[in-house]
Structures are given as C-alpha cells and as structure tokens.
C-alpha cells in the first residue's frame, strides 16, 4: 500500500475518532460559555452510549436509540444543573459525581437487564445501527487519482451522525454568535449580574445551556455505541470525555477551533493506533507518548506557552441573586 | 468556605446535615438495588456481614480503608487551600513508581524496617513531584488545577504503561508488572493486632501501612490546625484576598499544599505495592484516588471525619465483594454508584436540605439561632 493510501486511511480513522470528541466538546462549549464548568461530559457520554445501545437493541431502531441517549444524557445534565445552578453547589464536585454515577449504573443495569457481562446485545438487526452512507458516485469516482480516493474513502462512507457532527460546528457558531440566545448565553458566562440587571433570568438561561450540553452528549454517546460500535461495552468512553474537555480548552472555547482541536486529537489517536512506535531516527517514540500528547499539549496551552486560554469569567461561580 | 446561608449550631452543621446527606445517598443507592430486582435491606445486611462478620472481613475492610485514608487526606489538604486536586489517582500511581524503585534496588540489601521509611520518602516525593507542575502552573500562571491534574492523571497512566511494558518488566515475562520483591521489601502483616481482639486472619493483607495512615492523619491534623503553614493554607482557602493582604506568599502556599496533597496520595501506593502484591502492577490504584474525593467530602476534610469515612468505604469495598457472591447482579460496581451518590449529596448538594433544616430549627427553637463558635476552625 502506498504512502497516499495509508495517509487516507489514517485520515479516515481520524474522522471516526474525532466525532465523539467533537460532539462532546461542542456540548461542553454551551455549558462552559454560560458559566457552568462541566467535567461530567465523560459520564453523560457513557450513560448516553448505554441508553442508546440498550434502546436500539430492544426496539431495533437506531433512531429510538439516539432518542433515549439524548433523554438520559439530558437528565444527567439537569442533575448537574440542579446541583450547580439551583443549589449553588460546587460544579467540579457535581461533575465528578455524575461521572461515577454513570460509570457504576451502566454496568449494574447492563448486567441486570442483559446478563452479558455489562455489554448490551450486539446490534445486528437491520436498522438498529447507524450504518455508512455512500454518497452519490462514490464508487464511480474511486479510480480518479487523488481526489477520487479522498471522495470515496474520506468524505463518503460515514454514518449520518458524522455528517451531523460536522454540521453542528457551524450551527453552534451561528447559535452562539448570531442569535439573541447565544449573546445572552455568552454574557451570562462573563457577567451574570449584568444579564440579571437586564431582566433576564440567569437561572433559566443556564438551565437551557446545560440542556444543550445534555443533548449533544447524547449524540456523542449514541455515536460511540450505535454507529461506531455495534453495542455498549463497559467503560467504552475510556476518557474521551476528558479529551473532549481538553479539546474545548485547547480551542479556547470557540466552535470552529473546537473542530480542529478534535481532529488533531483524533489524528494523534489514529497514528498511535496504526503504528506501534514511530522511529524518528535517533530513538523510537513510544505509542504511549502519542496517546498522552493531547493531555500534554493541553497542559502546555494552559500554562500560557501557546497563546492564552482564558475561560469564561464567571465560570465555576454560582450566581447569587441580590435581594 | 463561604456559607451563603444562615448559621446553625455546630452539631447540626458538622453532624446532622452530613448525616442526612449521606443517608439520602444510601437511600438512592437502595433504589438502584430495588431497580435490579433485589432486596436492599438484605443487600445491606450481607454487605455489613461481609465486611465485619469475620476476622478476614475486618482485615480486608481496614486494608482498603488504609488506601482511602491516604487519598482522603490528599483531597482534604487541597480542599483546605480551596484547591480541587483530582489528580490523586495519578499521584498515587506515580507514587507506586517511587515505592518500586526503592524496593527493586534494596529488597535483598536491607530489611523491611529500613526499606519502609526509604520507600515512604520516595513515594511521598514522587507523588509530590507529580503534583508540582499543576501546582506551580496554578500558582504562577493561573491554569486551573482541576484541568491540569486531570491531564496529569492520563499522562501518569501512559507513563506507567510505558514503564511497565518496557523498562520495568523482567526479561521474558509477559505480564505488565515488575518482578516480585524479595523479603526485604515485604511489609509485616498486622494479624497480631486483630488477634488481640480474638479474631483470626487467614488471607487479609492488612499491614503496617494502616498504622502509617493513622499517623499521617494525625500529621495532617497538626499541620492544618496547629502550625503556621496550616493557618496560611486555611487563610488562602478561605479568602485569597485576605491572604494577600496578610502578606502570605500565595505561590508558596499553593505549591506546598498541593505537594503535601500529592505526597499523601503517593504514600497510598505503599499499601498495595509493598503490603499486598509485593510488586508493581498495572492499575494498582484502581480508583482509590477518586474514592478519596468522596471520603474527604464525607469527612468534611477533617482527619477525625476522614478515618471513619475511609472505613465506611473500606467496608463497602470488602462487603461489596462478598455481596456480589450472594447477589450476582450487584457487582462491585455498585460501590462506584454509591461513591458517586455520596459525592453528589455530601458534596455538590450539601446545601440542599439546609434551608429546610434551618426553617425547622426556627420553628422549634425560635431565638436559639445565635452563631456559635465552631470547633476545629
């Protein structure tokens, strides 16, 4: 196989690996821009993956799976909202709690309902899984040099959720920067007092933001369990929620950079999976280093050595309305 | 921590409300048991019996509690400085490296009572070093310590995988672990201690690290409430602005608090690595770093609260293992749910029942709601 084909294959798996990150990072974007830190992305994604796979297996429909994934993930997002908005609890603590509740509940319920060691039944029935969509002419143009392969391998042949993820990026940008809701959402993350003074409910605005987070995490989980894989495996998110969080910070809380950050982290993962170790002449770079590179890069960025990542000003602080 | 609510008597603040919160957490956990079709009361009975019904049960309970005392103290020290050190897991993992280095180097040179202090120092040192960069970045560059310590957890996991499948693995072995330590790096069991109470122990790995954990708890109490540094840490945690006006060196306090926190996590590694497995294994921390969050929240970041909270979680771990034999649908992962619920109700929702309780007090006692001096502050 030539260099070019290898590159296309790596890029193809980059896209597949980046999609859950993209959904989850965009999810975090809504919440964090409204001033609610969310380290519970991982848990919501995991719970959504389980709910999606379980519902898709029981009802035999991928779309019903997606629906339940979104419901469960949004319910957890509302728990986070209840703790951190209504009861002004510590947002980090609440996020940690949600991660654990999701990690434990998915295994216990999975075992109790399906008795397959924490797995859900494999989604083999027609329509119970989001399958690859072949775009028009994908086969016909395959033999066209360079562009043919790019079109047929890289652009075509993904599931609907992949295209939705890419569509969610400009959509999020439009919502945040071109709608009244977006303006208020960003304002409430910077200066909730000013929003309150303008007569807009800080509480309701933030609740809507965490609901957006829940919905997008639902997509992320459904993609993992109902599109990328054919069923739920215990702990299948395996830290993706935290990589998404890293990507969100890496992208400085902006939608389009979020996409690129996720693609970069997906690429690093794809390379680490493809090559056991990379020989750069002097010594061999171990795959573990490639896998930890997203985290290292995020720390370096946070340290302010590549630009400065400034979080929303009111992030993490509960809003106390003056009486 | 600033309390945006009315003052209540100390026993309500430090006794009743935490108790209610934890009780609610366990009630919700009972609902989950009900949901999978088992009897929660019977499950609780089996759990307590598994944890305290035999000498071995108690031995295992205290063995797990040892881990959680260390990680609970790790979280507590950071909490007092109002830092959230999620990196206990990674710091403990790297602490295991410190333990292993000492053990691999000296296990056939020195007896255990020389190797133990050496390994303790190395474990504390490596754990503290793993907390140093996040601490320094928080103190000087304002990078949020929560995010950086999460990142360092993953970096630690990658590093340890690399070391355990590569340099630290003995030649010809397939398992990702070091060789078994010689006798000089195996800690003595505490069987005699339980035998004093007429209990017999066959396999429980309860070892001398338990006593070390109790000593560490006392040390943390002295540090936080009886030294100048502890005062500075608490001032910093209460109000960074006040600390700055008082001339406290913020960078120094943040870095030291985080390093003490990391050292506590690192020392946790002594218990499983030197006391039980006598080799360094992949994932030996197994979530104990995260249990520390629940333990510290439940124990209100005070050593006197952390020790019982750690024993409670030790009981859940040991009893949970026994329970899963009797009720196969309730595997040990049930503890993860309980842990999450405790963190939710005792941590994030700690103020949920407060207004109600305050109102009840108001109705019952009328004017007795004077602010009382709170012990331990």
């Amino acid at each position: 196989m030539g260099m070019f084909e290898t590159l296309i294959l790596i890029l193809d798996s980059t896209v597949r690996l980046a999609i859950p990150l993209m959904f989850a990072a965009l999810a975090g974007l809504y919440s964090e821009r409204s001033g609610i830190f969310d380290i519970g992305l991982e848990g919501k994604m995991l719970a959504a993956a389980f709910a999606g796979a379980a519902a898709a297996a029981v009802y035999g429909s991928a779309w019903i799976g997606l629906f339940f994934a979104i419901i469960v993930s949004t319910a957890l997002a509302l728990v986070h909202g209840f703790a951190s908005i209504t009861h002004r609890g510590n947002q980090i603590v609440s996020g940690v709690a949600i991660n654990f509740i999701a990690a434990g509940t998915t295994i216990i319920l999975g075992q109790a309902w399906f008795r397959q060691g924490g797995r859900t039944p494999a989604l083999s029935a027609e329509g119970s899984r989001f399958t690859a969509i072949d775009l028009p002419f994908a086969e016909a143009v395959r033999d066209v040099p360079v562009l043919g392969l790019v079109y047929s391998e890289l652009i075509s042949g993904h599931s609907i959720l992949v295209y939705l993820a890419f569509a969610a990026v400009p959509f999020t940008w439009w919502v945040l920067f071109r709608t009244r809701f977006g303006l208020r959402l960003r304002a409430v993350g910077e200066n909730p007092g000013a929003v309150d003074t303008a007569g807009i409910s800080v509480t309701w605005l933030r609740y809507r933001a965490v609901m957006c987070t829940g919905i997008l995490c639902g997509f992320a989980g459904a993609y993992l369990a109902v599109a990328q894989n054919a069923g739920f495996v215990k702990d299948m998110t395996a830290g993706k929620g935290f990589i998404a969080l890293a990507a969100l910070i890496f992208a400085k809380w902006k939608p389009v950079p979020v996409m690129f950050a996720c693609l970069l982290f997906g690429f690093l993962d794809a390379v680490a999976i493809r090559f056991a170790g990379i020989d750069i002449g002097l010594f061999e770079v171990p795959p573990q280093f490639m896998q930890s590179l997203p985290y290292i890069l995020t720390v370096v960025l946070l340290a302010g050595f590549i630009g400065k990542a400034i979080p929303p000003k009111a992030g993490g602080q509960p809003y106390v309305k003056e009486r | 921590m600033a309390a945006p609510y009315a003052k209540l008597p100390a026993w309500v603040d430090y006794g009743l409300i935490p108790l209610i919160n934890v009780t609610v957490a366990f009630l919700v956990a009972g609902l989950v048991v009900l949901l999978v079709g088992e009897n929660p009361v019977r499950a609780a009975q089996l759990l307590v019996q598994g944890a305290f019904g035999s000498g071995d049960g108690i031995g295992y309970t205290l063995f797990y509690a040892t881990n959680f005392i260390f990680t609970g103290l790790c979280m507590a020290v950071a909490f007092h400085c109002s830092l959230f050190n999620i990196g206990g897991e990674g710091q403990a993992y790297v602490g295991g490296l410190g333990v292993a280095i000492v053990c691999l180097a000296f296990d056939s040179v020195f007896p255990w009572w020389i190797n133990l202090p050496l390994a303790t120092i190395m474990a504390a040192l490596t754990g503290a070093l793993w907390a140093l960069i996040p601490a320094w970045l928080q103190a000087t560059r304002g990078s949020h310590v929560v995010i950086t310590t999460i990142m360092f957890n993953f970096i630690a996991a990658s590093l340890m995988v690399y070391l355990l499948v590569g340099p630290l693995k003995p030649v010809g072995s397939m398992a990702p672990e070091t060789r078994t330590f010689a006798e000089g790096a195996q800690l003595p069991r505490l069987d005699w201690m339980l035998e004093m109470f007429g209990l017999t122990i066959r396999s429980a790995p309860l070892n001398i690290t338990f006593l070390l954990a109790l000593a560490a708890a006392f040390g943390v109490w002295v540090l936080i409430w009886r030294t100048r540094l502890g005062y500075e840490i608490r001032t910093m945690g209460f109000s960074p602005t006040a600390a700055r006006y008082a001339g406290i060196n913020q960078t120094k306090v943040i870095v030291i608090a985080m390093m003490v926190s990391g050292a506590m996590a690192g020392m946790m590694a002594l218990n499983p690595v030197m006391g039980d497995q006598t080799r360094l294994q992949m994932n030996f921390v197994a979530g104990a770093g995260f249990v520390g969050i629940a333990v510290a929240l439940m124990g209100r970041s005070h050593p006197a609260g952390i020790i019982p909270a750690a024993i409670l979680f030790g009981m859940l771990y040991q009893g949970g293992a026994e329970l899963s034999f009797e009720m196969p649908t309730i595997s040990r992962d049930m503890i993860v749910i309980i842990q999450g619920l405790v963190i939710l109700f005792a941590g994030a929702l700690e103020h949920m029942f407060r207004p109600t309780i305050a109102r009840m007090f108001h109705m019952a006692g009328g004017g007795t709601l004077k602010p009382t001096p709170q012990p331990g502050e």
Side-chain angles (χ1 to χ4, degrees), chain A residues 89 100 107 115 249 295 302-303, chain B residues 141 143 147 154 290 329 333 348:
Chain A
F100 285 126
I107 299 175
R115 302 191 185 279
I249 296 161
Y295 309 113
L302 276 171
Chain B
R141 314 204 57 119
S143 336
I147 307 293
F154 286 103
F290 297 122
T329 42
D333 301 291

Side-chain angles (χ1 to χ4, degrees), chain A residues 132-268:
Chain A
I133 300 172
D134 282 317
L135 295 182
F137 313 118
E139 276 312 304
V141 298
R142 181 175 282 274
D143 296 327
V144 177
V146 185
L147 284 181
L149 205 57
V150 169
Y151 182 74
S152 61
E153 279 292 330
L154 195 55
I155 299 178
S156 168
H158 295 289
S159 67
I160 180 92
L161 293 183
V162 173
Y163 302 108
L164 276 178
F166 280 101
V169 176
F171 179 74
T172 300
W173 176 83
W174 179 76
V175 167
L176 279 180
F177 297 96
R178 286 294 178 273
T179 67
R180 187 154 61 170
F181 169 66
L183 176 68
R184 289 174 175 176
L185 186 136
R186 284 180 293 132
V188 86
E190 298 291 335
N191 189 345
V195 175
D196 200 10
T197 313
I200 302 154
S201 165
V202 172
T203 308
W204 173 226
L205 204 48
R206 285 187 166 170
Y207 263 110
R208 275 183 291 173
V210 297
M211 278 192 268
C212 293
T213 305
I215 292 167
L216 282 169
C217 278
F219 276 97
Y223 175 80
L224 278 179
V226 191
Q228 195 179 27
N229 301 290
F232 175 84
V233 193
K234 76 178 192 180
D235 195 29
M236 81 183 301
T237 46
K240 287 196 176 61
F242 294 111
I243 299 202
L245 195 65
L248 177 59
I249 296 161
F250 203 74
K252 300 171 187 175
W253 293 271
K254 294 191 183 84
V256 177
V258 158
M259 179 181 78
F260 287 115
C262 292
L263 287 171
L264 171 68
F265 291 175
F267 177 73
L268 292 175

Side-chain angles (χ1 to χ4, degrees), chain B residues 201-285:
Chain B
I201 290 199
R202 280 183 302 274
S203 61
L206 177 67
N207 60 74
I208 197 157
T209 331
F210 177 66
L211 302 181
L212 191 68
L214 296 182
F218 180 72
V220 165
W221 177 78
V222 171
L223 172 76
I224 298 289
W225 280 282
R226 289 292 178 273
T227 66
R228 184 194 164 126
L229 178 67
Y231 176 75
E232 291 182 343
I233 289 176
R234 282 182 295 134
T235 311
M236 183 72 203
F238 200 80
S239 164
T241 331
R244 196 164 61 239
Y245 278 116
I248 291 171
N249 182 345
Q250 297 192 328
T251 307
K252 188 191 93 181
V253 171
I254 290 177
V255 169
I256 291 181
M258 276 297 285
M259 286 183 78
V260 172
S261 172
M264 287 296 145
M267 279 154 71
M268 171 254 150
L270 293 165
N271 191 37
V273 175
M274 251 180 123
D276 181 26
Q277 306 293 338
T278 61
R279 73 198 115 163
L280 186 64
Q281 288 179 313
M282 200 111 96
N283 287 331
F284 73 90
V285 187

Side-chain angles (χ1 to χ4, degrees), chain A residues 3-55:
Chain A
M3 278 282 276
F4 182 66
E5 281 86 350
T6 314
L7 181 70
I8 291 291
L9 282 182
I10 290 180
L11 290 180
D12 188 45
S13 74
T14 297
V15 170
R16 285 167 212 277
L17 293 165
I19 296 306
L21 304 182
M22 232 144 93
F23 275 126
L26 288 174
L29 186 70
Y30 283 91
S31 182
E32 303 221 339
R33 273 285 178 139
S34 81
I36 306 289
F37 281 157
D38 194 349
I39 63 167
L41 296 174
E42 172 89 2
K44 287 197 273 286
M45 216 159 126
L46 188 66
F50 174 72

Side-chain angles (χ1 to χ4, degrees), chain B residues 189-209:
Chain B
R189 299 272 161 99
L190 286 183
D191 299 6
W192 54 268
M193 198 177 84
L194 294 185
E195 272 158 17
M196 285 196 311
F197 298 98
L199 298 160
T200 48
I201 290 199
R202 280 183 302 274
S203 61
L206 177 67
N207 60 74
I208 197 157
T209 331

